């Protein structure tokens, strides 16, 4: 640990906003991941900017996480500082004409329920995605009949040079699991969305129906990071994996879900090494059988 860096970090944040040697398994839906040197939970844009400036000054690498629901973190953890966006950075403001501005740390489920409460429709698709707004915009998360691209009209981001930029929807370049945020290492601070009024009962029953479909099809009772692979053009990753005979295939504690082959689950105390290896095995077998190159959707952090 760098004592001087830690001292200065304490001048920016309160003691309870800084964790040392924090195991990232507690911050990922896979429940996998070794310790990060530092993990901080900022409460304002000013704190984020100051923390990043300090990291740059001390040449300490930093990485952003939200709810960790699309993350595989190495067993060795992360040598650097994790900035976690959580409920301390999750304000939502909704104006009368359906303009919604929310901070990066708000959970999609919370935002969906708040919109339903205020009778706005168009975000039902996101209610069962277990991530934050920051992760969802960065990944252009989508489900059923919706994607983030349909509701976003703009966003405030922090560039790697430390500038706050207001980007339009076009400038965000949202595509299938991609965005300008990924390409340029921008940090999403807040996003603005637009929704129309709808019928509250219909909104709530649609959310219930979509969550029911999730429970029926997906192994929600087990730890996962959702779909492990992106959808290859013209195919479904889960179907390819199933047709390759890999349902239930296991490496250490990591296994292909028998309920939905697109999900690799942490079945029994999997390490990141198990998870990484099963991804390599699945890729190689699917490539050999069908000539299709699978690309992981899950983001990897640390050394593998
Ligand atoms: C059971 C389950 C079901 C799922 N279903 C779906 C689904 O239907 N559709 C779907 O699209 N995804 C799904 N996912 C995957 C995941 O929930 C989404 O990708 C989600 O958007 C990730 O959000 P997060 O906050 O957890 O991001 P994290 O996992 O914390 O981070 C993901 C990536 O985003 C970056 N990031 C996070 N916040 C920010 C920020 N503020 N600024 C810049 N970069 C940031 C991180 O650096 C990382 O690269 C599912 C996952 C699980 C476990």
């Amino acid at each position: 640990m760098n004592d001087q860096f830690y001292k200065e970090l304490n001048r920016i944040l309160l003691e309870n906003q800084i964790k040392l040697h924090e195991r990232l398994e507690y911050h990922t839906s896979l429940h996998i991941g070794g310790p990060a040197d530092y993990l901080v939970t900022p409460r304002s844009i000013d704190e984020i900017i100051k923390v990043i400036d300090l990291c740059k000054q001390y040449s300490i690498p930093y990485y952003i996480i939200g709810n960790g629901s699309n993350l595989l973190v190495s067993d060795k953890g992360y040598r650097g500082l994790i900035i976690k966006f959580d409920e301390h950075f999750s304000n939502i403001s909704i104006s009368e004409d359906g303009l919604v501005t929310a901070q990066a740390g708000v959970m999609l489920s919370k935002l969906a329920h708040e919109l339903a409460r205020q009778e706005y429709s168009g975000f039902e698709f996101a209610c069962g995605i277990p991530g934050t707004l920051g992760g969802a915009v960065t990944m252009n998360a989508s489900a059923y009949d919706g994607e983030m691209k349909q509701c976003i009209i703009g966003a405030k981001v922090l560039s790697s040079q430390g500038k706050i930029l207001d980007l339009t929807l076009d400038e965000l370049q949202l595509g299938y699991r991609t965005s300008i945020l990924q390409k340029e290492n921008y940090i999403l601070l807040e996003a603005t969305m637009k929704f129309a009024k709808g019928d509250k009962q219909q909104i709530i029953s649609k959310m219930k129906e979509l969550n029911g479909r999730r429970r029926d099809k997906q192994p929600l009772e087990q730890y996962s990071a959702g779909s492990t692979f992106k959808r290859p053009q013209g195919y479904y990753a889960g179907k390819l994996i199933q047709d390759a005979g890999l349902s239930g295939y296991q490496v250490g504690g990591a296994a292909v879900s028998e309920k939905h082959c697109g999900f690799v689950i942490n079945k029994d105390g999997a390490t990141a090494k198990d998870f990484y290896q099963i991804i390599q095995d699945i890729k190689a077998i699917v490539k050999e059988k069908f000539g299709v190159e699978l690309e992981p959707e899950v983001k990897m952090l640390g050394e593998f």
Side-chain angles (χ1 to χ4, degrees), residues 217 219 227-229 237-243 245-249 255-264 282:
K217 293 260 159 60
S227 300
T228 310
F229 297 96
K239 172 107 177 52
L240 287 170
I241 297 167
Q242 182 161 8
D243 292 349
L246 290 171
S247 179
Y249 178 75
V256 174
S257 163
E258 291 174 49
K259 191 168 177 186
H260 188 317
C261 289
F263 284 58
V264 176
I282 295 167

Side-chain angles (χ1 to χ4, degrees), residues 27 29-30 63-71 85 104-105 107-108 125 128-144 177 181-182 185-189 214 218-220 222-227 263 297 299:
H27 301 272
S29 57
L30 273 171
Y63 188 82
I64 309 298
I65 68 169
N67 200 42
S69 63
N70 201 36
L71 269 189
F85 284 86
M107 288 294 289
L108 299 178
F125 77 90
I129 303 175
T132 61
L133 183 61
V137 176
T138 305
M139 299 298 297
N140 187 28
S142 60
Y144 306 106
R177 301 294 176 265
L181 291 110
Q182 293 188 39
N185 274 331
Y186 288 165
I187 298 174
L188 186 102
L189 300 172
R214 257 180 209 280
Q218 301 179 0
L220 299 187
Q222 277 163 311
Y223 301 147
S224 80
S227 300
F263 284 58
E297 175 167 326
K299 300 281 180 195

Side-chain angles (χ1 to χ4, degrees), residues 97-100 111 115 120-123 151 193-197:
D97 54 357
L99 268 189
V100 177
L111 183 54
L115 288 165
Y120 284 105
S121 153
F123 204 61
C151 7
M193 294 150 275
K194 173 102 177 128
F195 298 101
K197 279 279 178 186

